[in-house]
Amino acid sequence: MGEYKRPVTEEDFEKNFKLKKPLMNATEVYYESSRCLYCYDAPCIQACPTGIDIPLFIKQLQTKNTEGAAKTIYDSNWLGNACGTVCPTGVLCEGACVYNHQDVPPLQIGRLQNYATTQVISKEKQLYTPGDDNGKKIAIIGAGPAGIACACELRVLGYQVTVYEAKEKPSGLTVYGIAPYKITNEEVLEEINYLQNQLGFVVKYNSPITKKEQLELLERSYDAIFLGVGLGKTSVLGLPGEDKKNVIGAVEFIEELRMKHHLLKVPNKVIVIGGGNTAMDAASEAARMGADEVILAYRRSKEEKGAYTFEYDLALSAGVKGMFNIAPVEITGEESATGVKFSKTHVVNGKLEEIEESEFVISCDLVIKATGQAKQKSFFDLIPDLEIDAKSRIIVKEDTNQTSNPKYFAGGDAINGGAEVVNGAYDGKLAAKGIHQWLTK
Ligand SMILES: Cc1cc2nc3c(=O)[nH]c(=O)nc-3n(C[C@H](O)[C@H](O)[C@H](O)COP(=O)(O)OP(=O)(O)OC[C@H]3O[C@@H](n4cnc5c(N)ncnc54)[C@H](O)[C@@H]3O)c2cc1C
Ligand code: SF4
């Protein structure tokens, strides 16, 4: 039996996916903020990709200026609330806190950040107004963190902004991908509503831009275009049997889980293939959905896995079993998958090799492939003169995020190949400034 009971109601689901970083209360905030040493060189600011003035917002919280603290956060990062909960703070701001050198727990920056932002969101405090209309119009493709951050910054600069989003909800992978024990759908959407109510950018949902003619129309109708399209579906592995029923990509599995909650039925025995953060999330989530056994299978060693250690530990604590140095060679079964055939692996002269005659089969009812997301190359090919690199990431100028086609700017996973929400938030803001600089030159 797994650690978790199968959720049959929304209440059960919430119990199994209880938030890892619950909201602090005012007393906790007072105590935690009083621990800040206000370091002269503030390594936490350097470690935050959006460069939030952390000591300043903590001082503002300490003096009960919660609105000021939220403004300090949003001035640097339009997804301030989402980032407070979903950022891997242990390797970013909190990882840089000087307390780590003294064997003292670092300041809980993410949770303090969340306190400030949820206060203004719940009270609908108006912190921003759109800039005076400058008569120029910008189209944004993709309402993920990068697109939303770009939209907010452009509105402050006085641009009219229309965001074209393929799906029916904003926020990209923050709502469709990130584990529900990090952030709830409601929390994500409340922040977007809060920003939209103040800044008035338009989002056209269920509006994928997929054809050359659509792009040409946007080029004629708008002064610049921002590409915040992220990545595509889970990559194909090229394994025999991959097209069987009960074989699903991790991103697609997680999206279904985030949308259906307890209504999603996860079978008893699950194999997750992969060693990155998405594999850890998918395994952890399958276990929390009440699967009896969840095996995480990675072809390299435990030390070589791409996932953060805290994400692996989280999966283990949910009852997931890690198996290393095993590579999938075939998905077995007739119409539906009944197992995965693996080969043991070892490293010879620095190269990973399968060990001859070491094959074995592990039976299962569901295979989740967490082997990375495909890039949006076929979409990028529709845009004239758009340069991409060998890994199909859009190439941009570092200081403006302008692409090789001057009318197009880009940011987020589409340029970094898959990072964090905070990187998308940074890119969107930078690109908006880049657009402004280009159009006012
Ligand atoms: C399983 C998983 C877990 C993750 N967990 C974390 C985490 O815990 N913490 C963290 O910080 N980050 C996490 N990430 C990464 C984070 O979600 C991404 O880095 C971030 O969302 C990237 O933002 P983006 O705006 O570039 O792209 P996305 O979030 O992918 O948004 C792109 C948007 O563009 C839309 N779109 C795409 N193509 C088109 C088109 N042609 N026309 C119109 N719309 C289009 C999509 O529907 C989507 O809404 C996770 C990612 C995954 C896959
Ligand atoms: S945005 Fe993320 S990295 Fe930056 S201070 Fe907030 S929690 Fe830390």
Side-chain angles (χ1 to χ4, degrees), residues 47-50 52 54 77 83-84 87 89 92-93 109-110 113 422:
C48 170
T50 53
I52 293 176
I54 298 162
N77 182 339
C83 285
C87 269
T89 49
L92 297 174
C93 53
I109 298 168
Q113 180 170 319
V422 67

Side-chain angles (χ1 to χ4, degrees), residues 21 42-52 54-55 57-58 83-84 87-100 106-111 113 422:
K21 287 193 198 171
C44 53
I45 304 181
Q46 321 295 326
C48 170
T50 53
I52 293 176
I54 298 162
F57 94 68
I58 289 178
C83 285
C87 269
T89 49
V91 293
L92 297 174
C93 53
E94 292 173 18
C97 179
V98 292
Y99 276 131
N100 290 298
L107 218 72
Q108 297 184 55
I109 298 168
R111 290 182 73 201
Q113 180 170 319
V422 67

Side-chain angles (χ1 to χ4, degrees), residues 83 86-88 141-148 164-167 169-174 176-179 182 207-210 228-231 250-251 254 277-278 281-282 285 311 373 376 379 411-414 416 418-424:
C83 285
V86 307
C87 269
I141 309 180
I148 295 292
Y164 293 85
E165 168 53 50
K167 296 197 169 155
K169 289 189 171 65
S171 206
L173 286 170
T174 318
Y176 288 104
I178 293 176
K182 289 190 184 155
S207 305
I209 304 295
T210 52
V229 293
L231 303 172
V251 178
I254 295 171
N277 288 320
T278 301
D281 279 1
E285 288 165 43
E311 297 281 18
Q373 286 173 266
Q376 302 257 37
F379 174 67
D413 283 0
N416 61 37
E420 315 288 349
V421 170
V422 67
N423 303 98

Side-chain angles (χ1 to χ4, degrees), residues 44-292:
C44 53
I45 304 181
Q46 321 295 326
C48 170
T50 53
I52 293 176
D53 192 337
I54 298 162
L56 174 61
F57 94 68
I58 289 178
K59 182 93 200 164
Q60 288 166 318
L61 280 178
Q62 178 61 197
T63 52
K64 302 217 164 19
N65 178 6
T66 311
E67 207 175 305
K71 178 88 171 36
T72 301
I73 294 159
Y74 280 118
D75 279 349
S76 292
N77 182 339
W78 288 110
L79 279 307
N81 188 58
C83 285
T85 8
V86 307
C87 269
T89 49
V91 293
L92 297 174
C93 53
E94 292 173 18
C97 179
V98 292
Y99 276 131
N100 290 298
H101 303 301
Q102 300 161 5
D103 273 347
V104 174
L107 218 72
Q108 297 184 55
I109 298 168
R111 290 182 73 201
L112 288 170
Q113 180 170 319
N114 262 139
Y115 178 82
T117 48
T118 44
Q119 287 292 313
V120 292
I121 293 173
S122 61
K123 293 181 181 138
E124 296 177 25
K125 284 269 178 216
Q126 173 101 29
L127 295 182
Y128 297 93
T129 46
D132 292 340
D133 190 350
N134 63 24
K136 295 208 161 65
K137 296 196 298 177
I138 314 296
I140 293 181
I141 309 180
I148 295 292
C150 189
C152 291
E153 190 74 18
L154 285 167
R155 287 296 293 141
V156 170
L157 293 166
Y159 293 86
Q160 286 176 41
V161 178
T162 308
V163 186
Y164 293 85
E165 168 53 50
K167 296 197 169 155
E168 60 180 25
K169 289 189 171 65
S171 206
L173 286 170
T174 318
V175 83
Y176 288 104
I178 293 176
Y181 41 79
K182 289 190 184 155
I183 197 163
T184 63
N185 296 6
E186 292 73 29
E187 196 178 345
V188 176
L189 300 175
E190 272 167 19
E191 182 167 47
I192 307 293
N193 271 342
Y194 172 67
L195 296 169
Q196 203 173 5
N197 287 343
Q198 292 175 76
L199 293 166
F201 50 87
V202 175
V203 187
K204 290 186 186 290
Y205 294 108
N206 303 308
S207 305
I209 304 295
T210 52
K211 296 193 183 76
K212 200 165 178 59
E213 302 78 65
Q214 287 177 300
L215 285 163
E216 283 166 357
L217 183 62
L218 294 185
E219 284 168 21
R220 286 196 298 277
S221 316
Y222 293 91
D223 296 284
I225 300 167
F226 175 77
L227 301 168
V229 293
L231 303 172
K233 291 187 178 311
T234 301
S235 308
V236 174
L237 266 178
L239 279 184
E242 198 175 344
D243 52 354
K244 291 190 198 304
K245 277 191 210 151
N246 295 352
V247 180
I248 188 170
V251 178
E252 292 72 26
F253 168 75
I254 295 171
E255 178 170 337
E256 222 183 319
L257 175 111
R258 288 224 47 160
M259 294 303 116
K260 293 187 180 162
H261 285 189
H262 65 284
L263 299 175
L264 177 72
K265 298 289 169 241
V266 175
N268 281 336
K269 204 166 169 191
V270 181
I271 295 180
V272 180
I273 301 173
N277 288 320
T278 301
M280 304 302 143
D281 279 1
S284 214
E285 288 165 43
R288 281 162 206 271
M289 289 302 288
D292 283 346

Side-chain angles (χ1 to χ4, degrees), residues 297-300 323-328 342-345 360 362:
Y298 183 47
R299 64 199 175 103
R300 293 182 178 275
M323 290 182 76
F324 295 89
N325 282 114
I326 56 169
F342 289 99
S343 176
K344 293 186 183 166
T345 65
F360 64 101
I362 306 179

